[in-house]
Every structure is written in C-alpha cells, then in structure tokens.
Amino acid sequence: MDEPKGGQGDRAPGARKRPRKVSPRYLENAALHYLKRYAATVSQLKRVLVRKADRSLRVHGGDRAEALGWVDALVEKLLRNGLINDQAYAGLKAQSLRASGRSARVIAQKLRMKGVAAEVVEQKLAEATAEVSEDAAARIWARKKRLGPFRRDAQARQENRQKDLAALARAGFSFSIAKKIIDGAPE
C-alpha cells in the first residue's frame, strides 16, 4: 500500500503536524508567510507568533522568555521595514467596512479587537465617515439585507417594521437613523 501524500506518514488522519523547533529564523519565516496571506496589526501578528512559539516549546522545550524576546525583536524589525503598519491597516479596514454599510460602532469595535490603538481608531473612523456618512452606511446595510423600503412587498414592509428597526439597531445604528431609513423611500 502506498504512503499517503502530504507527508503524513504514520500520523492519524486529522492529527496535527509536529511543530518545528522555535528559532528566530523560524519565527521570521512564519511571520512573512502570515503577512503574505493576511493584512495584520502588530497585536495580531504578535499573537500568532506567540502561539506558534508556545506550541513549539510544549513539544521541544526551551525558554519562553527567550522566544518572546525573539518575537518582540522580529516585530520591531518588521515595523522598521514597513511590513506591518497599524495606521494603514486601520484606514483600509475602516473604509472597507464603511463602504459595506457598517456602523461607526461596529467599525470601532472590530478595529479595537484587532489591537489598534484608540486614537488611531478614532482618526481612521472620522476619515471613513467623511467619505460615507452614517446615514449612507445604514442605507447600504438596509439594501443589502432587504430591510424597510428595500423589501419587495409593501405589505411585508409594514408587517416587519419592528424587526427591520431591530436589525439596524443590532448592526450598530442609532434609533433615529434606523427609523429614518426604514420609514423612508428607497432612493
């Protein structure tokens, strides 16, 4: 019988691959690979690298403080070289979320969860709101979710008014904005 492809060898299906021994080179390669695939903040990248280091240390042993020092040094190097930039990440993310109809509350929350500093969140949110207002974002969200004036049936619009208002509230929009969008015309 042939050995399965993918280098699993005698590993059970679904079992995780044994991690490599942590080293500065290993961490740098892991960081570069991650950054090729995903835009990330400093905080996100640190979490990924610390998780990799911890997993490796559990298997191979070693000094966690030393590994964390390597992570910090690598992050500083990547910052100097411009490969990670919280300002740029927050700007792109805020604009993208706003254009897709997200409220200021949701955008701020998502950026804070990614580890972006509060003053950067505030600045980038103001820039995104200058391009697309809160009313326009609520209208985009209502159109995407077919709420209020964007429902196909006028009778269903009246029957579902409270549900539509609640949906916009859950999306982070104020009651006054939700009421204006739900009770307004589709234009």
Side-chain angles (χ1 to χ4, degrees):
M1 184 175 241
D2 293 335
E3 186 175 311
K5 290 191 176 189
Q8 286 186 349
D10 56 349
R11 254 188 311 140
R16 292 185 84 178
K17 193 166 74 170
R18 184 180 161 116
R20 292 193 174 154
K21 188 168 171 125
V22 70
S23 68
R25 177 122 178 120
Y26 167 73
L27 289 172
E28 185 171 0
N29 288 340
L32 293 174
H33 180 72
Y34 185 81
L35 291 172
K36 272 189 225 173
R37 297 181 71 198
Y38 308 105
T41 62
V42 171
S43 173
Q44 271 181 291
L45 184 63
K46 273 188 174 184
R47 266 182 280 180
V48 167
L49 294 176
V50 167
R51 211 170 35 240
K52 282 189 170 294
D54 285 343
R55 187 163 173 255
S56 175
L57 292 173
R58 275 194 302 276
V59 172
H60 299 289
D63 183 19
R64 187 171 194 270
E66 183 182 31
L68 293 178
W70 293 337
V71 168
D72 289 338
L74 175 60
V75 167
E76 289 300 318
K77 178 182 173 185
L78 294 173
L79 275 168
R80 275 193 317 272
N81 293 334
L83 291 175
I84 46 178
N85 182 340
D86 283 1
Q87 291 266 348
Y89 175 87
L92 290 173
K93 193 73 168 173
Q95 287 175 348
S96 167
L97 289 170
R98 183 54 107 175
S100 72
R102 295 298 177 28
S103 70
R105 288 182 193 140
V106 168
I107 295 169
Q109 180 184 17
K110 284 184 180 280
L111 290 175
R112 281 194 301 267
M113 286 174 56
K114 297 291 185 179
V116 177
E119 58 274 358
V120 175
V121 169
E122 194 175 305
Q123 175 194 359
K124 297 304 177 181
L125 186 56
E127 290 172 10
T129 301
E131 290 179 24
V132 179
S133 71
E134 192 82 350
D135 285 5
R139 186 172 299 287
I140 292 168
W141 189 255
R143 186 178 329 115
K144 283 172 71 173
K145 299 298 178 180
R146 296 182 187 208
L147 304 174
F150 302 101
R151 286 189 179 274
R152 294 204 172 121
D153 182 13
Q155 185 179 3
R157 179 177 177 183
Q158 281 304 328
E159 292 172 4
N160 293 304
R161 182 177 182 275
Q162 292 300 319
K163 286 182 180 181
D164 292 351
L165 287 170
L168 280 176
R170 283 191 303 274
F173 296 103
S174 70
F175 178 73
S176 61
I177 289 176
K179 189 171 185 281
K180 184 165 67 172
I181 299 301
I182 297 302
D183 293 341
E187 294 82 39

